Amino acid sequence: RGRPSLPRFLALGAAVAAAVWTVVRPEDAALALLLVAAALIVAGAAWLESGPGSSKELVLIATLAAAAAAGRVLFAAVPNVQPVTVTAVVAGVALGPRAGMAVGGLAALVSNFYLGQGAYTPWQMLAWAGCGLIGGLAAPLLRRRVPLALTCFALGFAFDAFMDFWEWLSFYPHTWQAFAALYLRGIWFDAAHAGGNFVLALAAGPELRRLLERYARRLKAEVIWA
């Protein structure tokens, strides 16, 4: 388990260097920020690899990510309404922070093979992985229906603000006026994301959590021969 520490260290170092590059040469921010995202994804992957996990757990995570990605594609006709945020958060609550991160990141990557890859993909992966991480860290507070729905509602706005921040740093003048204009331009899409999260989490969040927890208990069950 100590082996992934070097990749984590190198990736985080690369992320810091690219962030400094962004500050020193803001005209190259788009490329530097892409390198930041790639380095952070490598660091996250190394952290995920260092944790415990069986082949069955990996299959469960991959299945959840694929289901979330399919749901995102299915809802593509409804602007900014999709199940990825809720699925990542619930996976974090039921299976732990690492699983939540993996589900969110993989769902973003897989769904973009259909919806279109771009410089935004690594940042979507990080943002949805962050939603899963928050779900795992706040699991004791999110086991009830309403707190879960409210958290997913807030994360809908947070996710889109994060993506607006990336777009602002990459392609717009680095002024707060430009950021405010960019953020307000998409506020109704942000509200659709947050509202969709709230409805999905309120309708099915606890049921999905209980289903995942039952499956997780089966994965951890051991047979002891007397």
Side-chain angles (χ1 to χ4, degrees):
R1 293 187 182 180
R3 287 180 294 177
S5 59
L6 179 59
R8 283 201 302 269
F9 177 78
L10 294 176
L12 290 174
V16 171
V20 172
W21 181 12
T22 302
V23 174
V24 174
R25 294 183 58 85
E27 65 275 13
D28 297 333
L31 176 59
L33 288 171
L34 183 62
L35 295 177
V36 170
L40 290 175
I41 289 172
V42 170
W47 179 63
L48 290 171
E49 184 188 7
S50 67
S54 66
S55 59
K56 290 182 179 180
E57 288 174 319
L58 294 177
V59 169
L60 176 59
I61 289 171
T63 302
L64 280 172
R72 186 183 177 208
V73 173
L74 182 65
F75 279 93
V78 184
N80 221 20
V81 174
Q82 41 68 35
V84 178
T85 308
V86 174
T87 305
V89 172
V90 173
V93 173
L95 305 175
R98 294 177 192 272
M101 286 183 63
V103 168
L106 283 174
L109 178 64
V110 172
S111 59
N112 279 357
F113 280 113
Y114 180 85
L115 298 173
Q117 303 285 358
Y120 47 81
T121 297
W123 291 101
Q124 288 178 334
M125 293 175 64
L126 289 172
W128 269 316
C131 291
L133 177 64
I134 290 171
L137 295 177
L141 304 176
L142 302 180
R143 298 184 63 82
R144 297 178 66 86
R145 192 178 301 272
V146 174
L148 175 64
L150 290 174
T151 299
C152 290
F153 178 83
L155 287 175
F157 282 107
F159 175 93
D160 290 323
F162 181 81
M163 295 304 299
D164 287 340
F165 189 74
W166 159 76
E167 188 176 353
W168 171 64
L169 284 179
S170 298
F171 304 113
Y172 287 84
H174 294 171
T175 65
W176 290 112
Q177 293 86 348
F179 178 76
L182 176 64
Y183 180 77
L184 292 175
R185 183 190 67 183
I187 190 66
W188 297 112
F189 291 94
D190 301 351
H193 184 183
N197 288 350
F198 183 83
V199 172
L200 289 171
L202 197 65
E207 288 74 19
L208 177 59
R209 174 185 57 78
R210 286 192 288 268
L211 176 66
L212 294 179
E213 286 176 341
R214 283 198 298 270
Y215 195 84
R217 285 194 294 269
R218 293 176 184 175
L219 293 178
K220 295 176 182 178
E222 296 182 2
V223 177
I224 300 176
W225 298 98

